[in-house]
Amino acid sequence: MTQTAENTIATSNVLDIVANDSLQLWDLPAGSRARLINVSENATYMVEAPNGARHILRVHRENYHTERAIECELAWAKAMRVEGFVQTPANILGKDGNAIQTVFDPRLPAPRFMVMFEFVSGKEPNPDEDLVGLFEHLGEIAAQTHNHSLQWQRPHDFERLTWNTETVYGTKPTWGDWRNGPNVGPDDRKVLEALEEVVVQRLYAFGQSNDRYGLIHADMRLANLLIDGDTTVVIDFDDCGIGWYLYDFAAGISFMEDHPQVPALKEAWVLGYRKFRELPEADYNEIDTFIMLRRVALLAWMGTHPEVEVVKELSGEFCKNTVILAKAYLEKMS
């Protein structure tokens, strides 16, 4: 086992202890316990009480978001829920009346922000059932979030991440340099650098007008939907920020951009989207560019998150398949 792996496991074990110790910050039944259910950008815990009550605790990754940025995320999610655009989970205030709790613990290398959410019943869509139908629904939801984004009055000092060519390809990319992604070799770099040049040029020409660029979810995958009968709840707004609206489709097919169903999924998403919002042909014709922007961003993310299970599972062929996609895209756009 590498030193990095040992450190990751040690931090995870300590975080479990700290998460449980921190439950006292909320008004929860005595004996409530936190159980880790997912680690990606953040650590997510199921909080279970002896009386059967359940909540979701999100422990933020250190040095990723500021407290103000998290406040802005919660404000947007609440506004959409209250104004009837999209269903989102409500957050639970701590005993001190604050939604965000800051935990300083000497066992952790840095302070952690924590947010408690209500538990939402429902299940994640099963992609083996009807992926096309699910993506049509995803398109409907995306259009409604974008409609709200356009009309919502953002809070003062609004702060969220930005998702554009600068934050993917720039000098200080949010998720790191794609060149440091898993298994990126010299020949791969040549192809992906050519891709970078074309993507940057095309999106510069595409522009950032208000009808194309605004506040987006930025991680609207099937995994972030909970369906219970006729009700669909959108979860995990942790990556929401400023970017192109069509980036939400690209995020929707994260890690499966090379799947043979993607063309059909794109058509289904667009069909659903156009039920609630106009999508001009010029925008439709640029969707593949956003797919490649997101794919390269994921390659960079994998390089800076080696401990995450999806990275361990997919990193072996991810760069190779990214290059195949890049070559096909460059040929199409030439």
Side-chain angles (χ1 to χ4, degrees):
M1 182 181 295
T2 66
Q3 187 65 39
T4 300
E6 289 176 348
N7 291 341
T8 298
I9 292 172
T11 300
S12 176
N13 291 339
V14 169
L15 197 61
D16 290 349
I17 297 170
V18 173
N20 275 282
D21 289 349
S22 300
L23 295 183
Q24 63 182 317
L25 298 171
W26 291 270
D27 188 15
L28 299 174
S32 295
R33 301 296 298 169
R35 173 173 53 86
L36 184 67
I37 57 175
N38 183 55
V39 177
S40 183
E41 199 62 59
N42 308 307
T44 304
Y45 290 83
M46 174 72 75
V47 178
E48 299 166 307
N51 65 1
R54 290 183 287 179
H55 296 85
I56 297 296
L57 175 64
R58 184 174 69 188
V59 181
H60 284 260
R61 179 180 290 269
E62 65 271 20
N63 304 318
Y64 189 58
H65 289 305
T66 66
E67 184 173 10
R68 180 58 184 153
I70 300 170
E71 289 173 347
C72 292
E73 170 210 339
L74 299 178
W76 188 40
K78 179 180 179 180
M80 279 194 289
R81 179 177 67 255
V82 171
E83 295 170 24
F85 279 75
V86 176
Q87 287 297 308
T88 65
N91 57 271
I92 309 299
L93 300 182
K95 291 178 180 178
D96 61 0
N98 294 320
I100 305 167
Q101 300 296 313
T102 306
V103 176
F104 300 87
D105 194 291
R107 292 168 293 187
L108 295 175
R112 293 295 188 102
F113 295 123
M114 297 186 182
V115 179
M116 186 85 70
F117 294 93
E118 67 177 358
F119 175 79
V120 177
S121 61
K123 64 177 182 177
E124 178 185 323
N126 182 354
D128 294 328
E129 293 176 358
D130 179 9
L131 212 54
V132 171
L134 290 172
F135 264 80
E136 182 177 342
H137 188 40
L138 203 59
E140 296 170 356
I141 293 172
Q144 292 175 82
T145 64
H146 299 164
N147 284 337
H148 187 270
S149 167
L150 280 161
Q151 62 89 43
W152 185 50
Q153 184 65 44
R154 297 174 194 168
H156 179 64
D157 293 335
F158 189 78
E159 179 187 340
R160 287 305 301 169
L161 294 171
T162 300
W163 302 104
N164 58 25
T165 54
E166 180 61 26
T167 58
V168 174
Y169 290 126
T171 56
K172 294 182 179 180
T174 300
W175 284 343
D177 191 335
W178 60 262
R179 294 166 184 80
N180 298 324
N183 304 311
V184 178
D187 291 340
D188 303 321
R189 285 186 57 164
K190 292 179 182 178
V191 175
L192 296 180
E193 284 171 353
L195 172 71
E196 175 179 332
E197 183 177 354
V198 172
V199 167
V200 170
Q201 288 176 349
R202 292 189 70 89
L203 292 183
Y204 178 79
F206 189 71
Q208 297 180 0
S209 57
N210 289 341
D211 59 332
R212 290 176 164 175
Y213 190 86
L215 183 57
I216 61 174
H217 184 281
D219 196 22
M220 198 175 289
R221 299 176 289 136
L222 294 178
N224 286 330
L225 300 182
L226 290 176
I227 297 178
D228 185 10
D230 294 331
T231 301
T232 300
V233 179
V234 184
I235 64 173
D236 195 4
F237 282 74
D238 182 59
D239 277 336
C240 74
I242 308 302
W244 286 284
Y245 293 124
L246 289 179
Y247 187 84
D248 269 340
F249 170 74
I253 57 169
S254 293
F255 302 110
M256 57 176 290
E257 296 88 350
D258 54 342
H259 195 285
Q261 282 195 73
V262 165
L265 301 183
K266 180 172 73 173
E267 297 305 318
W269 189 92
V270 168
L271 177 63
Y273 193 90
R274 283 175 167 161
K275 293 178 185 178
F276 292 90
R277 187 166 186 269
E278 183 181 358
L279 183 66
E281 282 301 302
D283 296 51
Y284 170 86
N285 292 336
E286 213 61 64
I287 290 178
D288 289 352
T289 302
F290 291 102
I291 293 174
M292 296 314 305
L293 179 69
R294 173 70 172 187
R295 179 76 180 198
V296 171
L298 291 176
L299 181 62
W301 183 82
M302 295 176 92
T304 54
H305 294 69
E307 76 283 2
V308 177
E309 285 303 318
V310 70
V311 177
K312 297 176 185 178
E313 178 185 347
L314 300 178
S315 61
E317 298 292 317
F318 197 83
C319 178
K320 174 185 174 182
N321 292 334
T322 301
V323 169
I324 293 172
L325 288 169
K327 288 179 177 178
Y329 172 84
L330 291 171
E331 182 176 352
K332 176 181 178 181
M333 296 301 180
S334 62

